Amino acid sequence: EAGVAQSPRYKIIEKRQSVAFWCNPISGHATLYWYQQILGQGPKLLIQFQNNGVVDDSQLPKDRFSAERLKGVDSTLKIQPAKLEDSAVYLCASSPYRGTGELFFGEGSRLTVL
Amino acid sequence: GQQVMQIPQYQHVQEGEDFTTYCNSSTTLSNIQWYKQRPGGHPVFLIQLVKSGEVKKQKRLTFQFGEAKKNSSLHITATQTTDVGTYFCASYSGGGADGLTFGKGTHLIIQP
């Protein structure tokens, strides 16, 4: 079974530029999450989707971050404009269930903002 | 979401020594999960505990969920170099916002 796919693996941009990350969850997983992990810290939930609907985006900085999952399968997370403090690994995770069970994480997309 | 606090933040051990990390919450948790993240890797699920006082074992790893469901621990017996990484506890928030909230993790460093 294929795992969670993410791209790109690495991205370096200058502040005020934009960037987009893509995630393809495990087939059949209705729940998809985007997490931000700053170096040395635990993953922080940014947004949770159930199929193509947003369940929770309370910690998403909506003035610069946006995310969508239009067809209920793959998802895109965008940052525009990027700030220095956005440097982090952006992890996508999926689960077949909502509110219970393990999360399956992708390899992550490492963003460096200069 | 529910806050889970982990201690210690860092733990240095000699290979062969035991290791324990603790996870605490001020509120009752519906469940607790543990993940391991190798350096440069992504979090990988280890286990989920649901019942009060539950104890589960995976080879050299022992997981416990407190009687009051407010704390949990992960104990590794006779650490090996392959145990290096960061161990996170995590819990579901419950209610309408049901994402998984992670602790800050315990970084395990093993000296051969």
Side-chain angles (χ1 to χ4, degrees):
Chain A
E1 178 180 86
V4 177
Q6 288 190 247
S7 67
R9 288 294 311 277
Y10 305 92
K11 189 74 176 179
I12 301 174
I13 61 173
E14 295 188 348
K15 60 183 179 183
R16 291 187 289 274
Q17 287 187 326
S18 63
V19 64
F21 303 112
W22 173 82
C23 171
N24 188 255
I26 292 173
S27 177
H29 283 195
T31 311
L32 184 148
Y33 307 82
W34 283 101
Y35 282 86
Q36 179 193 58
Q37 187 174 27
I38 293 172
L39 186 64
Q41 298 184 17
K44 172 189 169 185
L45 179 65
L46 292 177
I47 189 166
Q48 175 187 350
F49 292 94
Q50 183 70 16
N51 296 308
N52 62 347
V54 175
V55 173
D56 180 12
D57 62 356
S58 58
Q59 299 192 84
L60 187 73
K62 298 181 187 62
D63 58 333
R64 298 183 301 103
F65 286 65
S66 65
E68 60 184 13
R69 192 185 184 198
L70 292 176
K71 296 183 179 180
V73 180
D74 55 353
S75 175
T76 304
L77 175 70
K78 297 180 181 178
I79 308 174
Q80 181 178 12
K83 292 185 175 182
L84 297 177
E85 58 261 36
D86 298 332
S87 292
V89 176
Y90 291 87
L91 293 162
C92 179
S94 70
S95 173
Y97 311 111
R98 174 180 168 179
T100 186
E102 70 177 281
L103 298 192
F104 297 82
F105 283 86
E107 296 287 343
S109 294
R110 181 177 297 276
L111 173 66
T112 302
V113 182
L114 303 175
Chain B
Q2 294 183 342
Q3 298 290 326
V4 286
M5 308 298 292
Q6 274 189 264
I7 55 170
Q9 186 176 0
Y10 293 92
Q11 184 73 59
H12 291 78
V13 301
Q14 295 283 339
E15 187 177 8
E17 291 182 337
D18 292 357
F19 159 78
T20 305
T21 174
Y22 301 90
C23 183
N24 299 295
S25 172
S26 58
T27 59
T28 302
L29 303 170
S30 58
N31 59 71
I32 193 85
Q33 295 187 358
W34 287 91
Y35 288 77
K36 176 183 178 181
Q37 186 173 25
R38 295 180 183 272
H42 58 279
V44 175
F45 175 82
L46 294 176
I47 208 158
Q48 174 171 286
L49 304 172
V50 178
K51 299 177 182 177
S52 169
E54 190 169 13
V55 178
K56 288 188 177 180
K57 293 189 176 183
Q58 291 178 352
K59 298 183 179 178
R60 295 179 294 105
L61 278 61
T62 302
F63 304 85
Q64 293 189 341
F65 201 9
E67 292 290 342
K69 300 181 74 172
K70 289 185 176 181
N71 57 76
S72 180
S73 65
L74 159 59
H75 179 83
I76 302 178
T77 304
T79 54
Q80 300 175 359
T81 55
T82 53
D83 296 325
V84 165
T86 304
Y87 292 85
F88 294 99
C89 65
S91 184
Y92 280 100
S93 306
D98 49 25
L100 199 61
T101 299
F102 283 79
K104 292 188 176 182
T106 295
H107 305 268
L108 174 60
I109 299 108
I110 298 177
Q111 295 156 339

